[in-house]
Amino acid sequence: MTPHTIRWGIISTGGIATTFSKDLLVDPATRGVTDVRHKIAAVGSRSVPSAQAFIDKLKAASGPSSWGAQNGGLEGTKAYGTYDEVYADPDVDVVYIGTPHPFHHQNAKAALLAGKNVLCEKPFVMDVAELDELIAIAKENKVFLMEAVWTRFQPIAYAVQEAIQSGKLGRPRRVTAELSSFAHIDDRADDDRMIDPKLGGGALLDLAPYPAVWSMLALHQHPQNTDMEPQVLDFSQRIYKRNGVDEMSAFTVKWEGLAEARLLNDFTAWTPRDNACVIDCDKAQLIIDHPLYRPERFRIVPHPQTVAGSSESEAPAVKPDDITEETEHRFSIPAGNGMHYEADHVARCLRDGKLESDRMPLAESRVVQGWLDTVRKGGNSVLKDWPHIAGNW
């Protein structure tokens, strides 16, 4: 069967767009995919030379992405000096938006209004009101729209969910997840995207979508969950005084009747390497390694009272179905960075005529966006009053 080829338009030529584009050019066979392929039809930047330089670098790249450059993935790719030209290009099936998140709304809106399908980087937008407008436009124009939460599509994410939903670990009780990165913020310029308020800087918007992935997969999509609108119970922020963005944000979300998630992001510390996420269940803990955006290992660790030789005198008797030994589960990505899995999913959705992903539904993007809104608007960072303050910079 001839694979279905999807033609991508790439918006922005920064780091995330580079990684995504390189993954589009990796041979699908390296990940066992034979039904879809990817081609980069157009690249939009602030100037034609900038877009062409991006294309030229992709063509000259070595490693796994060189396969696509040699097999038609960059054949006839057009360099545009505006984004609108990408949206208007009839050879573009779907637009990937990799601009800084304060620009996601306007970029996605323009693409949707032009009748293009859209895959937009996370965080989707700056607040729920912007997201609701995009959803309404996508539905009106009958085009596909999805947030690019690439971690959800990696093989390890499916394996973690299967382990949790199998019932072998019992009911989930709590998720604790952290993505922190010592970002050397004192050494960064004021206009660095990590800390610049105009670019949506701060730990919350930059890092929080990743701990949210695992709480959504483990709890929100759990068969026993009936709470489709989990709320933030409490939160705290530590503000970076130089420019007023948050350098740390932590918050707790509750799924009524099931469990809670405690999520942490910090620019001034590192994530624990071998327990970035702990999903605590009745019979064991499922522990995921750092980095949470692309982990390669999780472990299932029994509770102390079920471990052979446990000295806890009051521990209950071990039952036949209890977990008594630790197991390790590894999932390496054979080639590329791992963003191609979500690209494959989008390709299949478009091939099958779907306007929304069942793996990354818009309703779930809206849930997480609501958490970010609650923490941002309730905190003391300079972004609490966005978008009203955006025009003051």
Side-chain angles (χ1 to χ4, degrees):
M1 184 178 73
T2 302
H4 184 76
T5 300
I6 290 296
R7 302 169 300 177
W8 291 84
I10 307 297
I11 296 303
S12 178
T13 53
I16 192 75
T18 299
T19 301
F20 181 79
S21 296
K22 285 184 175 180
D23 272 8
L24 290 178
L25 300 173
V26 172
D27 183 357
T30 60
R31 55 187 182 274
V33 171
T34 60
D35 59 328
V36 294
R37 284 182 63 173
H38 306 280
K39 173 181 171 62
I40 299 176
V43 174
S45 188
R46 288 171 291 184
S47 69
V48 171
S50 175
Q52 188 60 54
F54 181 85
I55 296 168
D56 291 342
K57 286 181 180 178
L58 291 177
K59 289 180 177 180
S62 58
S65 66
S66 64
W67 180 90
Q70 297 166 10
N71 289 273
L74 292 169
E75 184 177 350
T77 304
K78 303 165 193 172
Y80 290 123
T82 67
Y83 298 161
D84 287 341
E85 290 173 286
V86 177
Y87 309 150
D89 191 327
D91 293 328
V92 170
D93 298 314
V94 57
V95 174
Y96 168 80
I97 295 174
T99 52
H101 36 272
F103 303 102
H104 286 177
H105 173 257
Q106 67 185 66
N107 297 151
K109 181 178 179 179
L112 294 170
L113 288 172
K116 292 301 185 188
N117 302 296
V118 169
L119 175 65
C120 182
E121 268 304 335
K122 75 212 138 322
F124 217 146
V125 284
M126 290 297 289
D127 61 34
V128 168
E130 290 184 341
L131 179 53
D132 285 344
E133 183 181 19
L134 295 183
I135 292 172
I137 294 171
K139 289 182 177 179
E140 181 178 353
N141 286 272
K142 295 182 174 56
V143 289
F144 179 87
L145 175 64
M146 191 183 92
E147 184 179 13
V149 185
W150 61 302
T151 308
R152 281 195 182 218
F153 300 92
Q154 295 165 22
I156 192 172
Y158 291 94
V160 166
Q161 259 194 308
E162 182 180 0
I164 296 295
Q165 294 185 7
S166 69
K168 295 179 181 179
L169 307 186
R171 170 182 161 177
R173 295 290 178 176
R174 184 179 66 195
V175 171
T176 305
E178 175 181 354
L179 181 59
S180 295
S181 175
F182 187 70
H184 302 279
I185 52 181
D186 288 341
D187 299 330
R188 294 179 182 268
D190 287 336
D191 61 355
D192 187 288
R193 73 162 191 88
M194 302 283 280
I195 59 173
D196 187 350
K198 295 189 296 297
L199 299 178
L204 177 71
L205 296 180
D206 190 71
L207 301 175
Y210 290 109
V213 167
W214 301 101
S215 63
M216 291 296 286
L217 294 181
L219 301 181
H220 196 77
Q221 292 189 358
H222 194 277
Q224 295 181 23
N225 178 44
T226 59
D227 185 359
M228 295 296 106
E229 297 183 359
Q231 301 298 309
V232 173
L233 291 182
D234 55 63
F235 64 88
S236 62
Q237 287 191 306
R238 188 172 67 242
I239 306 303
Y240 184 52
K241 294 181 180 180
R242 172 153 62 113
N243 55 13
V245 300
D246 67 295
E247 63 181 23
M248 183 281 294
S249 287
F251 57 99
T252 304
V253 180
K254 182 175 183 179
W255 282 261
E256 196 68 44
L258 183 64
E260 295 180 359
R262 299 177 182 176
L263 311 179
L264 170 64
N265 311 279
D266 195 337
F267 276 163
T268 66
W270 292 106
T271 307
R273 310 306 294 181
D274 57 357
N275 61 342
C277 176
V278 178
I279 304 171
D280 195 68
C281 301
D282 284 339
K283 297 181 180 181
Q285 292 179 330
L286 190 152
I287 303 176
I288 304 170
D289 282 1
H290 179 72
L292 280 189
Y293 48 83
R294 196 191 62 178
E296 294 190 351
R297 182 185 74 147
F298 73 85
R299 293 170 293 135
I300 295 175
V301 179
H303 295 311
Q305 68 267 21
T306 56
V307 176
S310 173
S311 61
E312 294 194 11
S313 59
E314 297 182 4
V318 176
K319 300 184 182 70
D321 62 345
D322 280 342
I323 295 172
T324 58
E325 294 184 0
E326 178 175 330
T327 58
E328 180 180 89
H329 309 264
R330 291 188 176 272
F331 295 83
S332 61
I333 295 173
N337 196 59
M339 289 187 167
H340 37 51
Y341 295 113
E342 71 175 354
D344 294 341
H345 178 81
V346 171
R348 294 183 182 111
C349 286
L350 298 183
R351 177 197 64 192
D352 297 341
K354 295 181 178 180
L355 300 181
E356 185 175 349
S357 164
D358 55 355
R359 179 66 176 172
M360 185 66 246
L362 295 169
E364 293 191 14
S365 288
R366 199 175 185 281
V367 166
V368 175
Q369 191 71 53
W371 302 346
L372 302 183
D373 282 9
T374 296
V375 178
R376 177 179 58 79
K377 293 179 180 180
N380 292 316
S381 82
V382 294
L383 294 180
K384 67 180 298 180
D385 294 321
W386 183 280
H388 304 295
I389 60 172
N392 295 329
W393 286 318

